[in-house]
Amino acid sequence: MDIVWQLRQQSERADAQESRLARFILANLHANVHVTMESLATQAGVSPDVLRRFATSAGCQDLDDFLHQVRKAGQQQDVEFIDVIRQRQSSLSQQEKRVAEAILSDTAFAASATIEQLAGRAEVSAATITRFARSLGCEDIRDLRMRLARAPQRQPPHAIAPIEAITQALTQQYGQAEAATWQRAAELLRKARSVLLIGASGLQTTLVADVHQRLQNAGLASAWIQDDNLLSMTLSRLQPDDLLLILAPDTVNSHVLSAVHHAHIQKTPVIALCAKTLDLANQADIWLPLPEAQHARRYGILFALDRLESALTIL
């Protein structure tokens, strides 16, 4: 039985009390996971008799069957709630995207964290957490935590994937660019006056930090700028003998696209490490592939660094 469809049909009934009851349940479906007959009747402002009559008219065997269907629909909505966060990532602001990444990477933590703890994990302000919660239809951080706590715990995206799948993704990555492409990228890096590194933020920050450290270990003059205002100033001073290196393991935001635009104006070479599916792959002077499979991107970045370091050592 599709109880949600039944409730929508009942919400259009002429009976004022039953119509109000249906609308109330639909509007608070996520809050009805542990609802009882008494609490539901009280919150909706109807009598238990109206609730029993409503359950029968909705096609349920009895009130217990009706409450079971409502609870199950509420649980399903919480599953969809996680899916909504995942689907809306690409349309979120950079700050709210960090919140989504933090939640999806560790739902159990987000379901119990204070607003300050979640803000610290996502590297955003508490106000951003509040805006994020309200944009998803939650009243506040407490409502957000409740919905996350009811959602089934899913495997975090950074969990170790099967070795066979990783091997297959890295093999595909290896075949997407010829050895000459990696060598040309190494030559540009080696002769660049300075290398400006732009990468992802939030949960991907440690990956970019590793790239920056390995560039410095290779003897390259590199700078990794995370402040947007300072980045804008640095981009305006790029020269043709500089180099812009972009690490984009997931998505490309407006700041990255603006950086590429500035580099093209200044005739500064652009090297991009990203999946082939991103437009950035076509906009860069040299594209170095990352695996198309999301679960293998972290391994693909390490693989790309090893290939670059190997090419740099023979120059």
Side-chain angles (χ1 to χ4, degrees):
M1 172 188 292
D2 187 346
I3 191 64
V4 174
W5 182 86
Q6 291 285 349
L7 288 168
R8 288 170 179 163
Q9 295 296 311
Q10 296 293 327
S11 68
E12 300 176 358
R13 289 173 59 90
D15 185 292
Q17 284 191 314
E18 293 193 14
S19 177
R20 183 172 73 248
L21 177 59
R23 291 196 298 271
F24 173 82
I25 295 173
L26 284 171
N28 299 275
L29 199 58
H30 68 276
N32 293 325
V33 177
H34 304 292
V35 72
T36 64
M37 179 190 72
E38 292 78 9
S39 62
L40 181 57
T42 300
Q43 293 172 30
V46 300
S47 67
D49 289 337
V50 171
L51 183 56
R52 292 190 186 91
R53 189 170 64 247
F54 180 85
T56 303
S57 64
C60 297
Q61 297 177 2
D62 51 32
L63 187 55
D64 288 337
D65 181 36
F66 174 74
L67 292 176
H68 171 71
Q69 296 293 339
V70 169
R71 293 187 189 107
K72 187 168 67 173
Q75 291 171 338
Q76 179 61 34
Q77 191 180 64
D78 287 322
V79 173
E80 294 172 355
F81 179 67
I82 296 296
D83 290 335
V84 167
I85 296 176
R86 184 174 289 105
Q87 293 164 5
R88 290 184 56 182
Q89 275 185 285
S90 60
S91 62
L92 296 173
S93 68
Q94 186 65 25
Q95 297 292 309
E96 291 184 342
K97 191 175 296 182
R98 294 182 184 180
V99 180
E101 290 175 346
I103 290 174
L104 293 175
S105 69
D106 194 344
T107 306
F109 166 80
S112 60
T114 65
I115 190 170
E116 291 80 12
Q117 289 171 333
L118 184 55
R121 175 72 65 91
E123 300 180 4
V124 299
S125 66
T128 299
I129 301 295
T130 300
R131 286 196 303 271
F132 177 84
R134 290 176 178 171
S135 71
L136 292 174
C138 301
E139 294 182 5
D140 49 30
I141 182 64
R142 287 177 296 179
D143 189 21
L144 175 65
R145 284 200 303 261
M146 287 176 60
R147 298 189 66 175
L148 291 174
R150 288 193 296 263
Q153 299 302 307
R154 299 189 176 187
Q155 185 184 46
H158 60 268
I160 297 177
I163 294 177
E164 295 81 1
I166 295 171
T167 302
Q168 182 179 7
L170 295 181
T171 300
Q172 181 190 50
Q173 177 187 6
Y174 182 86
Q176 285 184 320
E178 298 178 351
T181 301
W182 294 90
Q183 192 63 40
R184 190 156 59 95
E187 291 171 357
L188 284 177
L189 284 166
R190 181 62 75 190
K191 73 178 185 180
R193 182 187 61 147
S194 65
V195 178
L196 175 60
L197 173 63
I198 298 179
S201 56
L203 298 176
Q204 305 291 356
T205 298
T206 54
L207 293 175
V208 187
D210 189 27
V211 174
H212 184 227
Q213 183 62 52
R214 292 177 72 167
L215 290 176
Q216 291 186 323
N217 291 344
L220 302 177
S222 62
W224 172 31
I225 300 176
Q226 302 179 67
D227 180 83
D228 292 338
N229 293 326
L230 182 56
L231 177 61
S232 297
M233 294 174 57
T234 305
L235 288 171
S236 65
R237 298 173 182 172
L238 285 175
Q239 298 296 320
D241 56 351
D242 293 321
L243 187 141
L244 178 62
L245 177 62
I246 301 175
L247 175 64
D250 294 314
T251 58
V252 176
N253 57 35
S254 59
H255 295 297
V256 172
L257 295 178
S258 176
V260 174
H261 176 70
H262 276 286
H264 286 165
I265 292 176
Q266 304 292 71
K267 301 187 183 305
T268 302
V270 177
I271 297 177
L273 280 83
C274 65
K276 187 178 181 179
T277 52
L278 294 182
D279 291 339
L280 178 63
N282 298 319
Q283 297 177 18
D285 295 289
I286 297 180
W287 167 62
L288 301 178
L290 291 180
E292 295 181 16
Q294 184 84 22
H295 65 266
R297 299 263 173 88
R298 296 166 61 86
Y299 303 95
I301 291 171
L302 297 177
F303 175 71
L305 287 175
D306 287 342
R307 291 203 68 177
L308 275 177
E309 283 185 338
S310 297
L312 284 166
T313 56
I314 63 177
L315 292 178

